[in-house]
Amino acid sequence: MPAAPAPSPIEPLPNQLLTALRQHRMATTGQLQTLLRPTVRRQTVNTPLNRLRCQGLVHYTVLPRSRWMRAWYLTGNGVRMVKDFPALPGQPPTPSPPTPPPHRRPPTR
């Protein structure tokens, strides 16, 4: 598996977080910190994650038996937003959330 591209220092951290979650689908706060900002306090990553959660772009699930460790993922709105981001090298475009099939009436007899 090719190494992930290094995060751009020009791109704002919230955009980097969204892009990382787009690429990895789910990641803990610690994993995102190690990936994007390994030399800073965890709060530096956690604060923008919570802002993105308040905007409805990401959400988390608490991992079982983990002492409240959060695994973050994109919401439907987050997926729709990042699909407009430039494609990552070697990554296919982000698929849109599936739409339900049209309702069909059962055949009459």
Side-chain angles (χ1 to χ4, degrees):
M1 177 188 248
S8 166
I10 299 169
E11 194 70 29
L13 181 56
N15 288 8
Q16 290 181 19
L17 291 165
L18 292 169
T19 301
L21 289 173
R22 169 182 150 191
Q23 183 176 14
H24 298 286
R25 298 185 73 176
M26 186 175 274
T28 65
T29 307
Q31 289 170 327
L32 291 166
Q33 176 194 9
T34 300
L35 180 66
L36 300 173
R37 298 287 193 279
T39 60
V40 300
R41 293 180 33 219
R42 187 166 298 194
Q43 194 63 29
T44 303
V45 173
N46 204 39
T47 299
L49 280 169
N50 279 308
R51 286 189 188 124
L52 292 169
R53 182 181 55 81
C54 290
Q55 295 170 8
L57 300 175
V58 301
H59 201 59
Y60 65 85
T61 186
V62 177
L63 299 176
R65 292 181 245 136
S66 67
R67 298 186 184 193
W68 299 100
M69 185 182 304
R70 296 175 177 183
W72 296 88
Y73 58 91
L74 293 174
T75 62
N77 287 336
V79 170
R80 283 186 284 280
M81 181 178 185
V82 299
K83 76 179 177 90
D84 296 331
F85 285 13
L88 297 170
Q91 293 291 315
T94 304
S96 298
T99 55
H103 180 65
R104 293 186 180 169
R105 288 186 167 174
T108 57
R109 295 182 190 195

